[in-house]
Amino acid sequence: MKNMLTAISNALCRITGSNVGARAVVSSRAFADFTPKASFEIKKCDVHRLEEGPPGQAELTREQGLHYYRTMQTIRRMELKADQLYKQKIIRGFCHLYDGQEACAMGIEAAINPTDHVITAYRAHGYTYTRGVPVKQILAELTGRKGGIAKGKGGSMHMYAPNFYGGNGIVGAQVPLGAGIALACKYLGNNQVCVTLYGDGAANQGQIFEAYNMAALWKLPCIFICENNKYGMGTSVERSSASTDYYRRGDYIPGLRVDGMDVLSVREATKFAADHCRAGKGPILMELETYRYHGHSMSDPGVSYRTREEIQEVRSKSDPISMLKDRMLSNKMAAMEEFKEMDSEIRKEIEEAALFATSDPEPPLDALCDHIFHNDLPLEVRGTTPWSKLKSSS
């Protein structure tokens, strides 16, 4: 039967020049040959102030794997499109790309609930997408258009969604805000947690340690996560931190060091951390060891302080998307044709989003003062002209 289907597939491809036959084979195999679930060994976490950490194995269903792949590949393609639009001078200002770190955003979202809370720094595009914002609204925000997620007024560093609080431009400033969100969760007794993210470059900020202290004192349901991508701007972690064991930096707060390039490792560690917080044990600190392929921002070529060979080595050995795809293929959980078809669909989605982001109108001048106040009271900015003529209608 398989040989017959393969022959039909090849004939269709020759006649039509398309992959219709390939899709037919994949469809016919879907219920017969694919492994519906598999268990994988994952890297053991280093632990601090914990008797045990997350499990060393993770189960993955076929449906989960395909969803994780599509999400991470969409983030990757979206960021590459943002790179292109920036170089064409369609995106202006600051722009911090997330390609290479996709397993962090996907793994965290796979482990928490939509009602839980997330707040991060300015490398926020991936989290904006995993929190439910369509690609076209993200790209439109980057190009400063009316259809952007923040109405074109926020740009790369200021994106928001339900239970997602940005995108924050001040280094480390989102960490005490995250502790405050966790305080609200505890006060309301809603069994929710707040995932509070920051980078290794922010890890030496004093406000972070103040937030640790209050979170520990009040046993707040806060998961502090340091995304250690090895470089704070152009400075390696070894040159900026006397201790690079970021998972231990909470001192009295339990910690985990996690392989941030493996979506399953991130998912299992985040589940463990969320259960810790929901059990009333207070905050927990996670360090995700990850890597960014682009420089710190679009103004940073990213190769003056590291070699192209270093970047290529990470791509070839630890790429989160390739790692997941290889796992699924080697365990017969999917077919290569499926991934190719998915890649084609994602490229089409990104191109359509880019078209929207470059054709949607910019917000009008009379909307400049909207959303400053919640109500519709008239707004004057220190009585100056022409600002005093503008009114808030939000």
Side-chain angles (χ1 to χ4, degrees):
M1 184 66 180
K2 273 192 201 178
N3 292 338
M4 186 184 297
L5 284 167
T6 302
I8 294 169
S9 166
N10 293 337
L12 282 169
C13 288
R14 285 194 298 271
I15 293 167
T16 65
S18 71
N19 66 346
V20 173
R23 288 202 297 271
V25 172
V26 171
S27 177
S28 68
R29 289 169 53 190
F31 299 105
D33 294 346
F34 291 135
T35 305
K37 183 188 292 186
S39 184
F40 298 95
E41 296 284 336
I42 55 176
K43 185 178 178 181
K44 189 176 180 181
C45 295
D46 296 320
V47 299
H48 169 64
R49 285 185 176 266
L50 290 165
E51 292 184 6
E52 59 179 2
Q57 281 195 327
E59 278 194 348
L60 179 71
T61 67
R62 170 177 150 80
E63 290 74 21
Q64 287 172 336
L66 293 175
H67 170 62
Y68 298 168
Y69 179 87
R70 180 181 286 275
T71 301
M72 292 194 293
Q73 189 71 289
T74 300
I75 294 170
R76 176 73 56 87
R77 291 289 169 188
M78 176 178 71
E79 296 296 64
L80 293 177
K81 178 56 69 173
D83 171 90
Q84 181 185 354
L85 294 172
Y86 197 97
K87 288 171 179 173
Q88 293 172 350
K89 297 186 177 180
I90 296 171
I91 295 174
R92 300 285 188 135
F94 294 101
C95 186
H96 304 83
L97 302 181
Y98 199 69
D99 49 322
Q101 300 183 213
E102 296 91 351
C104 299
M106 182 66 257
I108 289 168
E109 190 62 38
I112 61 174
N113 303 320
T115 51
D116 290 321
H117 309 269
V118 177
I119 187 168
T120 189
Y122 39 75
R123 203 176 302 280
H125 309 163
Y127 289 99
T128 308
Y129 181 72
T130 56
R131 289 266 90 185
V133 177
V135 174
K136 73 174 193 175
Q137 287 185 264
I138 297 171
L139 289 181
E141 189 57 43
L142 289 172
T143 57
R145 306 303 172 115
K146 195 175 175 181
I149 189 60
K151 310 298 182 186
K153 298 177 181 180
S156 177
M157 294 195 280
H158 305 286
M159 297 187 181
Y160 310 94
N163 299 326
F164 177 62
Y165 306 86
N168 291 269
I170 305 300
V171 175
Q174 74 280 0
V175 178
L177 297 180
I181 295 166
L183 174 61
C185 293
K186 182 170 183 178
Y187 184 80
L188 295 169
N190 55 22
N191 202 35
Q192 296 170 4
V193 302
C194 182
V195 175
T196 302
L197 295 126
Y198 57 98
D200 54 274
N204 300 318
Q205 286 276 326
Q207 59 193 323
I208 291 179
F209 295 91
E210 294 177 56
Y212 287 167
N213 182 59
M214 287 191 286
L217 275 174
W218 298 337
K219 292 192 179 299
L220 302 183
C222 190
I223 306 173
F224 294 106
I225 298 183
C226 175
E227 288 183 286
N228 178 8
N229 59 26
K230 313 301 182 187
Y231 297 94
M233 297 186 74
T235 305
S236 68
V237 293
E238 292 80 10
R239 291 178 59 214
S240 63
S241 295
S243 169
T244 57
D245 290 336
Y246 295 107
Y247 73 108
R248 294 177 177 269
R249 299 277 288 270
D251 188 9
Y252 34 79
I253 296 176
L256 300 167
R257 180 155 57 193
V258 184
D259 180 0
M261 301 299 275
D262 180 358
V263 67
L264 297 183
S265 293
V266 177
R267 186 192 71 182
E268 294 306 306
T270 307
K271 280 182 182 176
F272 179 92
D275 289 344
H276 175 95
C277 290
R278 294 190 214 279
K281 297 178 182 178
I284 190 167
L285 173 56
M286 286 169 51
E287 175 189 348
L288 304 183
E289 291 190 305
T290 185
Y291 199 85
R292 52 173 163 83
Y293 294 154
H294 270 83
H296 171 74
S297 69
M298 286 302 297
S299 61
D300 167 19
V303 290
S304 58
Y305 49 86
R306 59 182 181 176
T307 63
R308 295 183 189 277
E309 290 74 22
E310 177 185 310
I311 302 168
Q312 187 54 43
E313 184 178 10
V314 176
R315 282 184 180 274
S316 61
K317 293 182 179 179
S318 305
D319 184 79
I321 300 173
S322 298
M323 190 187 306
L324 176 64
K325 180 167 74 172
D326 291 346
R327 274 176 169 162
M328 294 188 71
L329 289 173
S330 61
N331 284 270
K332 298 182 180 178
M333 298 180 77
M336 182 61 79
E337 292 91 343
E338 284 183 284
F339 290 117
K340 288 180 179 178
E341 186 177 349
M342 208 182 302
D343 291 345
S344 177
E345 291 169 356
I346 290 167
R347 287 192 188 95
K348 183 181 178 184
E349 179 188 358
I350 299 301
E351 289 303 323
E352 289 173 354
L355 181 61
F356 174 79
T358 52
S359 59
D360 192 53
E362 294 180 354
L365 182 63
D366 61 12
L368 189 63
C369 292
D370 289 355
H371 310 112
I372 295 176
F373 290 132
H374 176 68
N375 56 30
D376 58 357
L377 294 174
L379 175 69
E380 289 189 12
V381 181
R382 296 175 185 166
T384 59
T385 305
W387 298 89
S388 58
K389 297 177 183 178
L390 297 172
K391 306 295 182 183
S392 172
S393 61
S394 54

